[in-house]
Amino acid sequence: MTRLHLIALPIATALLLSACSGSNDSEHAATAQNRSSSAGLPKGRVEQGEALAHTKGEATGQSCIDCHGPDGNEPLDPTYPKLGGQYADYLAHALMAYRAGERSNALMANQASGLNDQEIADLAAYFGSRPSQIVTLEAAHSQR
């Protein structure tokens, strides 16, 4: 092979590979843009999540806000978590775990069992967008 062939062959190969992978990269980027960062769900929609948070579930007759409060920060029971301002991915993973039976709570398992992926993403986006009243327990441990 001539010297020109030795230079041209790797360049042509690189161009061919980049041309082939370019469409996959753009498809992957478009798919990733519509997915949650770690839960693998569709992109959450805050407005739809707010409407869903006010909807009574068929399994329990309760809505999210009945137990967690309008912004997720006024739980009906002090043992219920505050959801407002929590990471949307965390909320999505928790709801998916309740739905799959991997996380145990009779009320939440029933509530989550009827949710599809988009509804979980929407609820997570809504409660994640609310003001946070989550506090650390650091001071509680230092008082002992």
Side-chain angles (χ1 to χ4, degrees):
M1 283 209 287
T2 67
R3 185 177 174 151
L4 180 59
H5 285 113
L6 291 174
I7 294 172
L9 184 59
I11 292 172
T13 303
L15 289 172
L16 180 62
L17 289 174
S18 68
C20 291
S21 67
S23 63
N24 290 339
D25 287 345
S26 63
E27 287 175 23
H28 177 71
T31 300
Q33 187 177 17
N34 292 323
R35 298 282 173 195
S36 168
S37 62
S38 70
L41 297 173
K43 189 172 182 179
R45 305 164 300 180
V46 173
E47 295 80 19
Q48 287 82 350
E50 180 176 15
L52 191 57
H54 288 81
T55 303
K56 304 278 186 192
E58 288 183 30
T60 64
Q62 300 291 317
S63 71
C64 300
I65 65 164
D66 289 342
C67 294
H68 296 281
D71 283 338
N73 287 313
E74 299 174 32
L76 174 68
D77 182 288
T79 64
Y80 295 174
K82 290 185 178 184
L83 305 178
Q86 182 60 268
Y87 292 107
D89 280 352
Y90 171 78
L91 295 171
H93 279 285
L95 284 170
M96 289 169 42
Y98 284 124
R99 181 179 69 184
E102 297 165 357
R103 195 166 177 174
S104 180
N105 178 287
L107 182 62
M108 284 305 303
N110 284 329
Q111 285 291 92
S113 68
L115 297 174
N116 64 38
D117 285 354
Q118 184 65 63
E119 291 168 328
I120 287 176
D122 293 345
L123 285 168
Y126 170 67
F127 284 112
S129 74
R130 303 294 81 207
S132 178
Q133 291 185 12
I134 300 170
V135 296
T136 67
L137 299 176
E138 187 173 326
H141 295 295
S142 65
Q143 293 176 359
R144 288 184 181 176

